[in-house]
Structures are given as C-alpha cells and as structure tokens.
Amino acid sequence: MLTKEQIAKRIAQEVENGQYINLGIGIPTLVANYIPAHLEVVLQSENGLLGVGPFPKETEVDPDLINAGKQTITMLPDSAIFDSAQSFAMIRGGHVHLTILGAMEVSEKGDIANWKIPGKMVKGMGGAMDLVASAKNIIVAMQHCSKDGQSKLLPTCSLPLTGIRCVKKIVTDLAVLEIAPNGGFILKERAPQVSVAEIKSKTAGKLIVLGEVPEMQFN
Amino acid sequence: MLTKEQIAKRIAQEVENGQYINLGIGIPTLVANYIPAHLEVVLQSENGLLGVGPFPKETEVDPDLINAGKQTITMLPDSAIFDSAQSFAMIRGGHVHLTILGAMEVSEKGDIANWKIPGKMVKGMGGAMDLVASAKNIIVAMQHCSKDGQSKLLPTCSLPLTGIRCVKKIVTDLAVLEIAPNGGFILKERAPQVSVAEIKSKTAGKLIVLGEVPEMQFN
Amino acid sequence: MIDKTVKSAEDAVADIQDGVTLMMGGFGLSGIPENCIAALLKKQIRNLTIVSNNAGVDDFGIGLFLKQGMVKKMISSYVGENEEFERQLLQGELEVELIPQGTLAERIRAGGAGIPAFFTPAGVGTEVAEGKEIREFNGKLYLLEHALHADFALVKAWKGDTAGNLIFKGTARNFNPMMAAAGKITIAEVEELVPVGSLDPNLIHTPGIYIQRIFQGDRYEKRIEQRTVSV
Amino acid sequence: MIDKTVKSAEDAVADIQDGVTLMMGGFGLSGIPENCIAALLKKQIRNLTIVSNNAGVDDFGIGLFLKQGMVKKMISSYVGENEEFERQLLQGELEVELIPQGTLAERIRAGGAGIPAFFTPAGVGTEVAEGKEIREFNGKLYLLEHALHADFALVKAWKGDTAGNLIFKGTARNFNPMMAAAGKITIAEVEELVPVGSLDPNLIHTPGIYIQRIFQGDRYEKRIEQRTVSV
C-alpha cells in the first residue's frame, strides 16, 4: 500500500514537459514536490495565479499571496496574477492541461463525487465543478477504500456528483487505473506487493484486467 | 439653421456633471469642445480608453494612442486603458451614461439607421450597434434633411437599422426633438429664426407640437 | 476630474439598508473590504443577501455578519471555514446558494458586462443543473447561467486614485474587479489613495467608471487563514 | 521555466497553411502584428479566413493580404478604410461577415474562455439578428451569439517575457488579449523580449498560458491612419 507521498510521487510521473497544471487540496498539492527537475511546468492556482512557488520563509509571508487552499505561497520569475473570471476563463477554455484532484467516490464511467455529503458536509464545491467540466486530463488521487473499508471505486457514485464522465485516471494506495471508453476501471499498475486479487476485492465497480499487470515503478 | 459647431454646442448643454460619455465620429466629436468647463466628465473611446484628452502636439504624437476614429489623441491624469472586451463590457453594462452619435435616418419610434446603404456603402457598423443597444441616453446629432432635401426624420427608417427604439433626443440644424413614448417627434426647441411651420414641412415623421416652442438658447 | 472620494467607511456605507444585496470581494480573507465590514457591523442592518466566494471565518470577515444575524442569504462557492455558518445553515436560520466558483465569477462578470445569460459546462449532470436549461454545443453539454447583480459592491484594492481607478495586489485581486463592475453602487476601499496622475493608465486593473465612492481604509489586519511556511 | 521563444517571424508562422482561420490583433493599424504579416506575405498562402476588427488600408496591414488575393473571408466590424477591400467585395471575390464590435470582442473572449454562447442586445431588430435566437430577459431583447475560435492567433504586444507573459501599450492593446486566448496556437510578437523576472507579475495583461510562441519583432513602422494634431 502506498503512502500519500507515494501516491503523489506516482502521479508526478504523469506530468509532461510544458504543462500548465492545477493541483487540488490534499494529496494533489504534494505532487508538486515530486515533479522531476528536468520538466518545466507551471502550476495554476484558481484564485488567480500562474507560477505557484514554494511556501514562503517566515520573513517572506505575504497575506496578499495565497493559493486556493488559503495557504501562504510565493511567486516565481514567470508568475502572472489575474482575477477570478480570467482564472476560470483559463480553466474553462481548456488552457490548463492537467488537473489533479481528490475524490470521495469515482464511478466506472468516470463520474466523480468530491464536494458534498448530504446532511453532513455543506462546504461547497469551490472550483471543482469548473475544473472537472473543463480540464483536458483529470487524474484523481485518493485512497482505494474509505476508512470503514468501503470501496470508493463504484459502479455509480452514491454521493452528489461533482462532474460526469470526466476522470481519465485514478491513482490510489493500491493501484493505477484508467477509465475505459465504455466504462470500467482498467487496472494499469499495482502498488508494490499488492495482488490483482486484492485490488479486485476492493473495487466495487467493474475492474478490467488486461494480461499481466505490472507493479508501479519508483525511481 | 445651425452650423455643425452650433449643433455640437447645443448638444453640449445636455451634458451633466460626472457623466461618462461616448462621442461618435463627426459632429459628436466636436461636442467635446463645448462642454462647460465647470462640468467634470470623462470621454470614453471604444477602442479602449477612458479619459480622452485633446489632440497631441506634433511632438507628442504616439501611434499607440488613437481614438475610435483612428485619430491620434492624448491621455489625461485620470485616464485608464483597457482591452476591447472590457470596453464593450462597460458599454453593454450601462456604465456609459450618454452616447452621442450621427445618423442617416431616425424614425418616430426612435429607431436609428447609420451604418449601411445597400449596394453602395459596406463599411460595417463598428461599435454603433452595441452603443445604441446599451446606452442609457442616446442623442443623435444630424442634419434635418439630406443633401437632396429629403427629411431624415421618418415614420419608419428606409435604410438598414442600427438599433430600434433607442434614440431619446435629436439635435438637428433646425430643431431639438425628443422621441415620445408612444412614437412621434416632440418639438422641444427651434433653431434661431426657424419657424415651426418650416420644421413641420421638413419632418416626414409625426411631429408633435405642444404649446409654444422656444428658440434654442446659446450662452 | 471627477472626484469620488468620501471621507470614511461610515460615509461610504451610510445608505446601505436592511434587505439589500451586497457583493463583497475577497478569496478567503485575502482582499476583503475590512473597513466597510467594520462600518456595516456598527450599523446593525439585517436581512442581507451577500454574494461572496467565501463566508469568512468565525471571528473575521463576513463571519462577523453571520454572528450578528445580519445575513439572510449567502451566495458563495465555498463556505467551509466557518462553524457558525454551518450551525445557522443546519438550523435553517440561513439560506445558502452554492455556485461553482468559475460560474460565480462569470455570472458576476456578466452582470457588470450587460450579458444577461451564458452557457457553461460546470455542473452538468450534477444537482447544480437542476431546473436549468441544458444545451449541446459541438457535442458537449452546457448549462444556461444568468448574470448576477448587486445593489452595492464592496471592493478592496491596493492603490486607487480619486477618480476611482484601482490597482490590486497579488491574489487579493480575485473577485474584486468583476464585483466592482456588477454593483449598482460600488464602494472601493484602498490601502493608499493617490491623486489622479499617480497611476500609470496602462496598468490600471479596474477603470474608475465602475467606482462610485472611494476612500482610504486604515488598520488593515489582513488576517492569514493558513500560515504555511517552508523551513 | 517554460521557454516559448522562436527565432524569427518566419519560424513562428512556418506551419500556417492555406485555408486556416487567423485572428489578428489591432484596431485600425494600431497594435497589428507587423512582423507576422510580413512573414505571411512571403509565404503566399491562400484561402485564409481572417478575424480582425478592421482590414487594414490598401498598402499596409491586412490590406496587403487582400491585394495578393490571400483572403477568402473577413470577419470584422468595420472595414471602411480600404478601397481594394470594397472592390473585391462588390466583385464577389471576398466573403465578409460584419459583426458589431462589442459582439466581436465578446465572441472572441468567449472562444478563449470556454463559453460556447451568450446573449447580447447588440443588433436586435437589425439584419444582424437574422437567423439568430432572440430571447427576453427582464423586459429587454437579446440575441444568442456564439464563440469564435481560430487555428492561429497573431498578437502584438509591447513587452513580453520568454514564458509568454505580455504587456501592451496604450490603445494598441484592443483585441490582442482576447485573441491571444482564443487561438489554438497563439503567436506573440513583441517590441521588447525580456527574460522571465523582468515583468511585474501583478501588472501582466496576458498571462503566458495563452501564448505558444513568442519573438521580438523588428522595424515596427506603426503607421498612423489619422495624424491629428492640435496647434
């Protein structure tokens, strides 16, 4: 089973040179730490910044410079600031190449639920619905099962949806999976020491296993 | 009969303190010269400038600073530059208080035609359709009759329309007229030495005369 | 030059009454109109409808309005930092309309720009789509969303001149420029009020045409929600 | 940092072929991509669809494309400064779609912003409305207008960095920022190409995300259409 850091590390392997990337809160934020140094990419924060730099030193903290998670951040030499309408024009217009975000549930059709638990959590969707409706490539980072052991990879989502037929790839603590064009989770890679049988038993939606499934590789 | 300068001078009396104003090409541009000095107003140029200043001195000419008529201009201390989408957001959103423009024809309903003569002139409407569809107050500056003596104040326009039911007031070389809510040109003022009878004879649309019609006053 | 200066936050908000719709700039606590908030708190008005991306925290920003029971309805995209908010909502004391952040931004922009409605893909297939017109363009589904307007917009900028031209700083810009254009009356508070001619016309973020009143705020606290530093 | 620099105008336009749709920034002759125009003239491509507010003058700007018979269709708001244009149009050699300037600007913005369609009041009751959906909002009529896209957008800025961040100067900004966002491939030519870090992130007009190629142009003529001076 992968740690959160390992999930982030595996997702970082999906990043391509020259990409503009939006990272959600939680595990996705950690991905920034593992992007190979030879790749030139730009991180977008939907509150109005391209070129998100590292967290500031104590002396550099600026309340006028935060990310979408409200954390203090820094800028980079190629940074640009803009307003919220411009930020989502960028996202909606398909200019952001890759969106990495967390999820509570993903369905075998690529539907995603990550914003609301009826009667329990009413925080709001923030920018998630815009992101999943518009990004060209959406990768979900999440635990394969909930804390009480229920699979989060389902035939259909039980929670209110964030978006439909939008997720392309899922990286969990157990596996890397892709959504098949006609539905189903194609098992692409196993976490080290995790068997196909275990992944199968923990995937409530349709799991598609095509030949030998390799173990994830970490350099 | 008024000269073009006098038409501009009479229209300048309509300007109120604090207004943002868009001036069309031709007579409307002249209005800027007659706005009383005690009024603080801001001129908008739809190619992307608020705070249009006077024409530059020969040494100040800047090809990157033109008005919507492509004339070289200057800025003022309160000027702001923006792009074309922002410029028409301003216009469409009703932030410009007053639009003054020329016309080939105006109908008694307040329709205006000023952009096209079929088979003859195909220059395009520029920003005129956006302006007349959105401005709160539209004043037309024009000659009462065409060069061949035909009235330009008509029951209905014969030329392709620029906008419908939008003109509020018309200042011609003969008269000041307002569009009545149910249609018709209400004669508000006569040019010096011009009779109501003459205006009536030169107005093809319905002319409404309510009591004594005063002469225009110029200070 | 038109001078839009008012003396104080109190003067700026003097005619804001019960039941109005307010837009308030800011993302989290960054770029919020602190001085206008303080002045409104003193007025103790009620039944406000507030359009703001977030709802502040329990003891700062719009959270202070919630605590005093001033708010009837919140129109926001994310309100997750506020326990009082959640309590009022679950008790039925507060109406809430949650809107995808990009849709919220674009609806506000549309309000200022005279666009009554537009199509956007955010929310298709979700509860956000309920009751909305859905249309296909080039094989993709979109929802029809309508413009948002407000009686007053309260925005915060870094620098502003007496004609109302504004420059924002960093990510404190966020929703402020769109809201400035969407308010019937827009009040700008700035950290530094400068004479006209001090700002480069080429570098102005919000042209003065959108601003009806401007004043220099004082004692900006600029509270940080997630102070995150690197070691 | 991502480096989007190309060596020359010729390199930048190398893959622009017959029959593509080009957006070209500029209002009149102000803010037009002079170097890209010159490079395309050398390529002698044909059947172009050009989205540009104006069509240049007979011997400068897009007028030069018209003279060489490179243009199949113009999508513009005002083309009144060009005799060759009028001749080609009246002879049926050229297709023209005339669009109200604000609608043109907003359709281009919509293209870059992922908004497939929106409602606008411009053109209601005129021939512009023919064949378009009309809808009433709050007692006023609006037309449904659709987004515009282009295979390539050619824009001109004052300064730009190697990451594609742009700053425009004066009213040469005009249509350039919206077009930058609406091109599948956007080529920016700048008067001064600077290293990243030279431009204030707070004051950038067009963020680099919209730009695929950038180069420093040379010998900008910046011809003036109406040199009007005060005495």
Side-chain angles (χ1 to χ4, degrees):
Chain A
M1 278 186 24
L2 304 188
T3 61
K4 287 180 181 181
E5 284 72 18
Q6 286 172 310
I7 294 175
K9 207 168 171 183
R10 176 59 192 82
I11 290 177
Q13 295 175 15
E14 302 292 317
V15 170
E16 293 171 23
N17 195 40
Q19 284 187 323
Y20 287 82
I21 305 172
N22 184 289
L23 301 178
I25 296 166
I27 300 176
T29 302
L30 299 176
V31 172
N33 302 331
Y34 301 107
I35 296 173
H38 68 280
L39 296 183
E40 304 290 2
V41 301
V42 179
L43 303 181
Q44 199 246 21
S45 190
E46 67 259 30
N47 56 318
L49 175 63
L50 277 169
V52 180
F55 296 125
K57 297 203 174 65
E58 188 61 57
T59 53
E60 297 169 338
V61 167
D62 180 353
D64 293 329
L65 215 49
I66 62 172
N67 66 16
K70 281 98 178 176
Q71 296 170 311
T72 45
I73 44 146
T74 57
M75 292 195 286
L76 296 170
D78 62 349
S79 287
I81 297 276
F82 36 86
D83 67 33
S84 300
Q86 176 74 275
S87 180
F88 284 92
M90 234 168 247
I91 289 167
R92 205 188 300 105
H95 304 280
V96 174
H97 303 106
L98 177 60
T99 287
I100 301 168
L101 77 177
M104 299 169 184
E105 296 177 351
V106 176
S107 86
E108 64 190 36
K109 301 278 189 199
D111 300 346
I112 177 172
N114 74 348
W115 76 281
K116 185 179 184 181
I117 304 173
K120 212 169 147 193
M121 191 188 86
V122 285
K123 293 180 186 307
M125 67 290 280
M129 284 194 182
D130 307 273
L131 282 160
V132 301
S134 305
K136 290 175 189 163
N137 189 10
I138 295 169
I139 300 178
V140 166
M142 67 175 190
Q143 304 301 321
H144 211 93
C145 295
S146 63
K147 278 171 189 156
D148 58 356
Q150 300 295 308
S151 176
K152 296 165 78 171
L153 285 76
L154 304 171
T156 57
C157 295
S158 64
L159 293 171
L161 294 176
T162 308
I164 55 172
R165 294 166 189 267
C166 53
V167 175
K168 295 277 184 297
K169 188 173 277 194
I170 306 144
V171 178
T172 75
D173 49 340
L174 302 183
V176 177
L177 310 104
E178 284 178 9
I179 300 295
N182 296 319
F185 300 100
I186 305 173
L187 182 57
K188 301 296 286 187
E189 298 174 24
R190 298 171 293 115
Q193 278 102 50
V194 173
S195 69
V196 171
E198 180 181 351
I199 295 166
K200 199 155 206 168
S201 75
K202 290 182 173 168
T203 303
K206 178 180 166 191
L207 189 76
I208 301 171
V209 182
L210 302 167
E212 198 69 27
V213 179
E215 255 190 24
M216 296 179 203
Q217 300 296 318
F218 293 95
N219 309 323
Chain B
M1 278 187 22
L2 303 187
T3 62
K4 287 181 182 181
E5 284 72 20
Q6 286 172 310
I7 294 176
K9 206 169 172 185
R10 174 60 191 83
I11 290 177
Q13 295 175 15
E14 302 292 317
V15 170
E16 294 171 23
N17 195 40
Q19 284 187 323
Y20 288 81
I21 305 171
N22 183 289
L23 302 179
I25 296 166
I27 300 176
T29 302
L30 300 175
V31 172
N33 302 332
Y34 301 106
I35 296 173
H38 68 280
L39 297 183
E40 304 289 2
V41 300
V42 178
L43 303 181
Q44 199 246 20
S45 190
E46 67 260 30
N47 56 318
L49 175 64
L50 276 169
V52 180
F55 296 125
K57 297 203 175 64
E58 188 63 56
T59 54
E60 297 169 339
V61 167
D62 179 353
D64 294 328
L65 215 50
I66 61 171
N67 66 16
K70 282 99 178 177
Q71 295 171 309
T72 44
I73 43 146
T74 57
M75 293 196 287
L76 295 170
D78 62 350
S79 287
I81 298 276
F82 35 86
D83 66 35
S84 300
Q86 176 75 276
S87 181
F88 283 91
M90 234 169 246
I91 290 167
R92 205 188 300 105
H95 304 279
V96 173
H97 303 106
L98 177 60
T99 287
I100 302 168
L101 76 177
M104 299 169 184
E105 296 177 350
V106 176
S107 87
E108 64 190 38
K109 303 278 190 198
D111 301 344
I112 178 172
N114 74 348
W115 76 281
K116 184 178 183 181
I117 303 172
K120 213 170 146 193
M121 191 188 86
V122 286
K123 292 179 186 308
M125 67 290 281
M129 285 194 183
D130 307 273
L131 282 159
V132 301
S134 304
K136 290 174 188 161
N137 190 10
I138 295 169
I139 301 179
V140 165
M142 67 176 189
Q143 304 302 320
H144 211 93
C145 295
S146 62
K147 279 171 191 159
D148 58 355
Q150 300 295 310
S151 176
K152 297 165 77 172
L153 286 77
L154 305 170
T156 57
C157 294
S158 65
L159 293 171
L161 294 175
T162 307
I164 55 171
R165 294 164 190 266
C166 53
V167 175
K168 296 278 185 296
K169 189 172 278 194
I170 306 144
V171 178
T172 75
D173 49 341
L174 302 183
V176 176
L177 310 104
E178 285 178 9
I179 300 295
N182 295 320
F185 300 99
I186 305 172
L187 182 57
K188 302 295 287 186
E189 297 174 26
R190 298 172 292 116
Q193 279 101 51
V194 174
S195 69
V196 171
E198 181 181 351
I199 295 166
K200 199 155 206 166
S201 74
K202 291 184 173 167
T203 303
K206 178 180 167 192
L207 189 76
I208 301 171
V209 182
L210 303 167
E212 198 71 27
V213 179
E215 256 190 24
M216 296 178 203
Q217 300 297 318
F218 293 95
N219 308 321
Chain C
M1 308 293 145
I2 302 175
D3 187 344
K4 297 170 179 176
T5 312
V6 294
K7 257 192 294 204
S8 65
E10 286 69 26
D11 285 1
V13 305
D15 56 351
I16 299 185
Q17 301 294 338
D18 285 8
V20 299
T21 296
L22 299 182
M23 285 184 182
M24 296 176 66
F27 184 97
L29 301 178
S30 186
I32 62 173
E34 293 187 22
N35 284 258
C36 281
I37 290 172
L40 283 171
L41 277 171
K42 282 191 228 159
K43 279 175 65 100
Q44 287 286 344
I45 50 175
R46 302 184 71 83
N47 288 318
L48 299 176
T49 295
I50 297 185
V51 181
S52 166
N53 188 56
N54 310 95
V57 294
D58 281 330
D59 61 346
F60 202 63
I62 295 170
L64 298 170
F65 287 5
L66 292 167
K67 221 175 205 166
Q68 297 205 7
M70 291 165 62
V71 184
K72 185 180 76 174
K73 181 175 181 179
M74 285 296 309
I75 299 176
S76 305
S77 89
Y78 189 82
V79 292
E81 291 94 354
N82 195 312
E83 284 180 33
E84 175 64 15
F85 181 95
E86 217 154 345
R87 193 198 62 72
Q88 289 189 19
L89 180 61
L90 294 173
Q91 304 254 322
E93 295 168 21
L94 189 64
E95 289 173 58
V96 178
E97 189 180 339
L98 291 170
I99 298 178
Q101 195 175 141
T103 300
L104 181 63
E106 190 68 12
R107 287 180 64 186
I108 296 166
R109 182 204 177 257
I115 302 289
F118 60 89
F119 287 94
T120 181
V124 168
T126 77
E127 63 182 58
V128 164
E130 281 167 24
K132 287 178 188 157
E133 180 179 334
I134 298 177
R135 197 182 290 201
E136 188 178 320
F137 297 91
N138 297 315
K140 185 169 172 172
L141 297 175
Y142 295 82
L143 303 181
L144 184 68
E145 296 280 3
H146 292 75
L148 277 170
H149 301 271
D151 299 306
F152 294 87
L154 312 179
V155 303
K156 149 76 171 56
W158 180 39
K159 293 183 181 179
D161 68 22
T162 54
N165 294 305
L166 305 180
I167 294 180
F168 303 93
K169 179 163 161 279
T171 56
R173 190 183 321 180
N174 55 65
F175 281 82
N176 284 295
M178 292 89 76
M179 288 182 172
K184 277 196 208 92
I185 293 175
T186 294
I187 301 166
E189 58 174 271
V190 296
E191 292 181 50
E192 194 183 342
L193 184 64
V194 298
V196 291
S198 310
L199 304 177
D200 182 344
N202 209 35
L203 302 176
I204 282 163
H205 294 134
T206 287
I209 190 171
Y210 296 122
I211 306 302
Q212 278 69 49
R213 302 169 193 166
I214 189 167
F215 68 94
Q216 181 169 311
D218 59 1
R219 282 168 287 130
Y220 281 100
E221 188 175 335
K222 295 195 185 184
R223 203 182 289 189
I224 292 171
E225 280 181 80
Q226 304 284 340
R227 176 180 289 269
T228 314
V229 295
S230 63
V231 282
Chain D
M1 307 293 147
I2 302 176
D3 187 344
K4 296 170 179 176
T5 312
V6 292
K7 257 191 292 201
S8 64
E10 286 68 27
D11 285 1
V13 305
D15 56 350
I16 299 185
Q17 301 293 338
D18 283 8
V20 298
T21 296
L22 299 182
M23 285 184 181
M24 297 176 66
F27 185 97
L29 301 178
S30 186
I32 62 173
E34 293 186 22
N35 284 259
C36 281
I37 290 171
L40 283 171
L41 277 171
K42 283 190 226 159
K43 279 175 67 99
Q44 288 285 346
I45 50 175
R46 302 184 72 82
N47 288 317
L48 299 176
T49 295
I50 296 185
V51 181
S52 167
N53 188 57
N54 310 95
V57 294
D58 280 330
D59 61 346
F60 201 63
I62 295 170
L64 298 170
F65 287 5
L66 292 166
K67 222 176 206 167
Q68 297 206 7
M70 291 166 63
V71 183
K72 185 179 76 175
K73 182 175 181 181
M74 285 296 309
I75 299 176
S76 304
S77 89
Y78 190 83
V79 291
E81 290 94 354
N82 196 310
E83 283 180 34
E84 173 64 15
F85 180 95
E86 217 153 345
R87 193 198 61 74
Q88 288 190 18
L89 179 61
L90 294 172
Q91 305 254 323
E93 295 169 21
L94 189 64
E95 289 173 58
V96 178
E97 190 180 338
L98 292 170
I99 298 178
Q101 195 175 142
T103 300
L104 181 63
E106 191 68 12
R107 287 179 65 186
I108 297 167
R109 182 203 176 256
I115 303 288
F118 59 90
F119 287 94
T120 181
V124 168
T126 76
E127 63 181 57
V128 164
E130 280 168 25
K132 287 178 186 157
E133 179 178 335
I134 299 177
R135 196 182 291 201
E136 187 178 321
F137 297 92
N138 297 315
K140 185 169 173 172
L141 297 175
Y142 295 82
L143 304 181
L144 184 68
E145 294 280 4
H146 291 75
L148 277 171
H149 300 271
D151 299 306
F152 295 87
L154 311 180
V155 304
K156 150 75 172 55
W158 180 39
K159 293 183 182 182
D161 69 21
T162 54
N165 294 304
L166 305 180
I167 294 180
F168 302 93
K169 179 162 161 279
T171 55
R173 192 184 319 179
N174 55 66
F175 282 82
N176 283 297
M178 293 90 76
M179 288 182 172
K184 278 196 208 94
I185 293 175
T186 294
I187 301 166
E189 58 174 89
V190 296
E191 292 181 49
E192 193 183 341
L193 183 65
V194 298
V196 290
S198 310
L199 304 177
D200 182 344
N202 209 34
L203 303 176
I204 283 163
H205 294 134
T206 287
I209 191 170
Y210 295 123
I211 306 302
Q212 279 69 48
R213 302 169 194 166
I214 190 167
F215 68 95
Q216 181 169 312
D218 60 1
R219 283 168 287 129
Y220 281 101
E221 187 175 335
K222 294 195 186 183
R223 203 182 290 187
I224 292 170
E225 279 181 81
Q226 304 284 341
R227 176 180 289 267
T228 315
V229 297
S230 64
V231 281

